[in-house]
Every structure is written in structure tokens, then in C-alpha cells.
Amino acid sequence: MLLKVPTEKIPIQEIFIDKKVKLFIKREDLVHPLISGNKYWKLFHNVNNYLGIHIEDPLIITFGGAFSNHISAVSAVGKLLGVRTIGIIRGEELKDKWRDNPTLVFAFRNGMNLKFVSREEYRNKEKLSEFLQQEFPGALIVPEGGTNDDAVQGVKMMLNNETKEFDYLCTAVGTGGTIAGILKFCEGNQKVIGFKVVDDSSLQETIYQLTLKKNFNLIDSSFGGYGKIKDENIRFMNDFKEKYDIPLEPIYTGKMMQKVFELIDEGYFPEDSKILCFHTGGLQGIEGANLLLEKQNRKLII
């Protein structure tokens, strides 16, 4: 069994705004109920190419933090396809507390074997990957966030004839794989904007190495740092959900959409521009975010 191209068309919805530009969102969050958004496409070729060589006892190993969309998605792939999975989780302190974490509980229930490592060990993932490949020589080791050449090829499937009509293509940027795929396979006249949610000075070079293209813009959309959620972010996401009936999560798509609205108000986009934002899923992260917000006696994400 392999991952399949969905038979149902992924909708592009217009976000009606009283401005001199037109704004749309492509609902990649609907691509699969559990393997959400860009994660489905980043894993598509990674997993299918690996399983295509008919390993006798397939095993997928990957990396992620406590609330990682990628860990959640890989665990769901493992359950769907009947493949063993191991998640290398950042932070030894989670070893005795993971049952309070909805993302890790979901991964565990999908059959993922969770291994917790120190933040220092985790930083040197290249060395960690070498050890894992020696221990599990037949395993597929997928990098954190799923970003590699196979992922870029998979993201190509987020583009189609409908996406060609837009002037601007916008996506949140974490490890750089999604923007690289969009940039590599979009039309030559389209402008690609990445909304950075991490403070990573190497992203520009990472994207270039994956695409050999430099005609893209990266705009800081971290709102105080990766994983940080401000009250203004919560207000924006909740207002957006109430007005457009589209849920946003607080780490990636929520921050991107908030920044896009700010740029529109500032006149960043020329008049009559057609702007397409990609909803990259990750809605599973809302539950974990709300647990933290509740402890801080703050408003929750609806």
C-alpha cells in the first residue's frame, strides 16, 4: 500500500475583503484528515519511493518537537500503511510527561515508538542520523519537517492549472521545503513570498540549494519567535474563523494570514493583484496550544 493522490479536488476559496486586491486560500488542510496539508505532499515521494523498493520490514524514522505536525503526520502514515515508525523527540524532560501532550499521545496511539533525546543531542541531527542508520540499516530516515529533494517534488502537486492564474503565491516557512517546491514549479511570472515563522538565517541558502532559484521574498512573520503565541494572534485567528469559517493554527498558517492582511493594508501588493495563500494544515496543534493557553489563563483558539 502506498500514499495516493486524493480523488477529490482541493478547493481554492476566496477571502472576501474590501480592498483593491483579491485574496484566496488553497485548502491543503483538507488533503487528508490526519496527514495534514503540506506534510502529506512532503512525505508522498519519500514514503512511496522507499516502499517501492520492497523492504522486508520497513521502518520510518524522523525527528520533531513536542507539538510537531511532522511527527503527527509520520505516525499517521505509519498506521495507514502498516509501517513501523520511530519519532526522535527533542527534550529529555518530556520522557515522563509525554502523556500530557496530545500530539505525542496521538503519535503513540498510531504505533510510533517515541525516543526522547537531549536538546544538545538533537541539535546534531546529522550525527544522530548516522547512528540511527547504522542501528537500523534498512530504515528510511526523514529529516525534521520532511524537507529534502523528494519533499520538494511532492509539493509540486500543490500546484495545478488553477494556481497558474495568481500573481502572488504565499506560504508559511519553517524548514523551507514547501516554499522550495512552490518556487521550483510555479510559473515564471509568479511572485513567491515565504512567511518565516522561525529565526533561521540559513533559510535563504537552504531554499536556493533546493531550487537554484533566488526570485523569492522571505518576510518575518514570527510575531516574537517560533511557537510564541500573542493575544493579537489569537484574536486574528478567531475573527478569521468566525468570518470565513476557516480554522487556522497558531504556528504557521495563522501567522502567515495575519501578516498577509497587514501587508494588504500597507499597500504592499499592487492594485488588482490576485494573491493565493496555501493553508498548510497542522490543525492538530491547536489542542496543544490551547492546553498551554489555558494554564496561562488566556483566551483559547476556537
Side-chain angles (χ1 to χ4, degrees), residues 223-261:
F223 290 93
Y226 181 72
K228 298 285 190 291
I229 307 170
K230 293 187 172 183
D231 290 342
E232 62 173 295
N233 304 136
I234 299 169
R235 277 195 300 273
F236 175 84
M237 287 183 291
N238 288 350
D239 288 347
F240 192 91
K241 174 73 161 37
E242 287 178 353
K243 191 167 185 180
Y244 303 110
D245 195 29
I246 299 173
L248 302 174
E249 49 73 41
I251 309 303
Y252 296 96
T253 308
K255 289 183 174 181
M256 173 190 69
M257 291 307 300
Q258 185 171 346
K259 195 68 179 178
V260 167
F261 270 64

Side-chain angles (χ1 to χ4, degrees), residues 50-269:
Y50 170 66
L51 296 179
I53 60 177
H54 305 296
I55 298 289
E56 188 175 328
D57 183 19
L59 169 66
I60 302 171
I61 305 174
T62 197
F63 307 83
F67 298 100
S68 168
N69 293 325
H70 179 65
I71 287 290
S72 174
V74 171
S75 74
V77 166
K79 183 174 183 180
L80 177 69
L81 303 182
V83 175
R84 289 191 302 136
T85 57
I86 297 175
I88 309 299
I89 311 300
R90 180 181 65 242
E92 279 181 314
E93 71 277 6
L94 293 166
K95 192 171 185 179
D96 299 319
K97 298 188 289 188
W98 66 267
R99 288 176 179 81
D100 299 325
N101 180 300
T103 300
L104 298 181
V105 167
F106 174 78
F108 177 79
R109 286 176 177 165
N110 282 334
M112 179 173 269
N113 185 355
L114 304 175
K115 292 187 178 293
F116 300 89
V117 300
S118 70
R119 291 166 188 273
E120 187 179 347
E121 278 181 284
Y122 191 89
R123 270 191 291 273
N124 195 350
K125 284 187 284 296
E126 196 172 308
K127 188 176 180 183
L128 201 50
S129 295
E130 287 176 11
F131 285 141
L132 288 165
Q133 203 72 81
Q134 289 170 10
E135 187 177 354
F136 305 101
L140 169 67
I141 299 181
V142 182
E144 182 180 36
T147 290
N148 56 18
D149 290 330
D150 277 346
V152 171
Q153 288 292 323
V155 170
K156 179 182 181 181
M157 301 177 84
M158 289 168 56
L159 302 173
N160 56 30
N161 284 332
E162 285 185 305
T163 64
K164 291 177 181 179
E165 66 182 75
F166 294 93
D167 304 300
Y168 290 87
L169 302 176
C170 302
T171 184
V173 178
T175 55
T178 303
I179 187 175
I182 292 169
L183 179 65
K184 187 168 184 176
F185 299 109
C186 72
E187 301 301 296
N189 63 315
Q190 293 180 304
K191 299 172 183 68
V192 177
I193 304 176
F195 292 80
K196 275 180 33 169
V197 299
V198 292
D199 181 17
D200 183 352
S201 58
S202 68
L203 270 174
Q204 195 99 14
E205 182 59 25
T206 298
I207 296 163
Y208 173 69
Q209 291 297 331
L210 289 167
T211 64
L212 300 180
K213 289 186 175 182
K214 293 185 176 179
N215 55 326
F216 62 95
N217 288 339
L218 289 178
I219 294 175
D220 178 39
S221 309
S222 59
F223 290 93
Y226 181 72
K228 298 285 190 291
I229 307 170
K230 293 187 172 183
D231 290 342
E232 62 173 295
N233 304 136
I234 299 169
R235 277 195 300 273
F236 175 84
M237 287 183 291
N238 288 350
D239 288 347
F240 192 91
K241 174 73 161 37
E242 287 178 353
K243 191 167 185 180
Y244 303 110
D245 195 29
I246 299 173
L248 302 174
E249 49 73 41
I251 309 303
Y252 296 96
T253 308
K255 289 183 174 181
M256 173 190 69
M257 291 307 300
Q258 185 171 346
K259 195 68 179 178
V260 167
F261 270 64
E262 289 179 7
L263 292 177
I264 290 171
D265 286 340
E266 293 165 8
Y268 177 90
F269 300 100

